[in-house]
Amino acid sequence: MGLYDEKGLFDTSTARRPIFIQRHYRKLAAAQMATAEGNDMVCDVYDMAEPANAESISNAEKSAQAKPVADFPDAISGPMSFVFRSGRYYGKLTAFDAKASRPCLAAKALKGKR
């Protein structure tokens, strides 16, 4: 797991770094995970300082393919990702290949383990 501040964000593979800086990003916690089948995923949780910033980045990154997720009012899911926000936090679970379990299923499994 890695923890990155504003300067360290540029060391990550985040393609849209400037948009996070513009929206007052504070920290990123990034972790690699594996599904039960052994397929890799990445979980990124961004501390955006204020709920409005988390909502703003969520809206800016929303994919046209994303769909609402039952039981997660501030979440959307696509074929390879699960994106959510909670208060000042913005998070993403991203699968690396189509064989990986859908990230939405992993998110549902994690929900009960808070």
Side-chain angles (χ1 to χ4, degrees):
M1 182 166 136
L3 185 61
Y4 305 91
D5 61 10
E6 186 174 310
K7 292 176 186 170
L9 182 64
F10 289 92
D11 295 335
T12 70
S13 62
T14 304
R16 299 186 62 180
R17 295 174 198 110
I19 199 168
F20 286 90
I21 301 298
Q22 292 165 358
R23 286 170 171 79
H24 309 288
Y25 148 89
R26 287 179 44 190
K27 291 182 185 169
L28 162 64
Q32 290 193 349
M33 303 171 68
T35 65
E37 299 85 18
N39 297 300
D40 291 331
M41 296 175 130
V42 170
C43 178
D44 295 327
V45 178
Y46 296 85
D47 180 343
M48 299 301 294
E50 298 288 334
N53 299 337
E55 182 176 4
S56 176
I57 197 70
S58 178
N59 292 338
E61 288 212 312
K62 187 181 285 185
S63 165
Q65 296 176 338
K67 307 279 187 236
V69 179
D71 300 324
F72 291 89
D74 292 320
I76 55 175
S77 181
M80 304 274 288
S81 66
F82 176 86
V83 180
F84 63 94
R85 60 186 171 83
S86 178
R88 70 182 198 216
Y89 299 100
Y90 169 71
K92 299 189 279 190
L93 285 172
T94 306
F96 286 114
D97 65 51
K99 292 186 289 185
S101 296
R102 291 189 61 216
C104 188
L105 298 176
K108 286 181 179 181
L110 291 171
K111 183 178 182 182
K113 297 184 182 202
R114 293 195 244 178

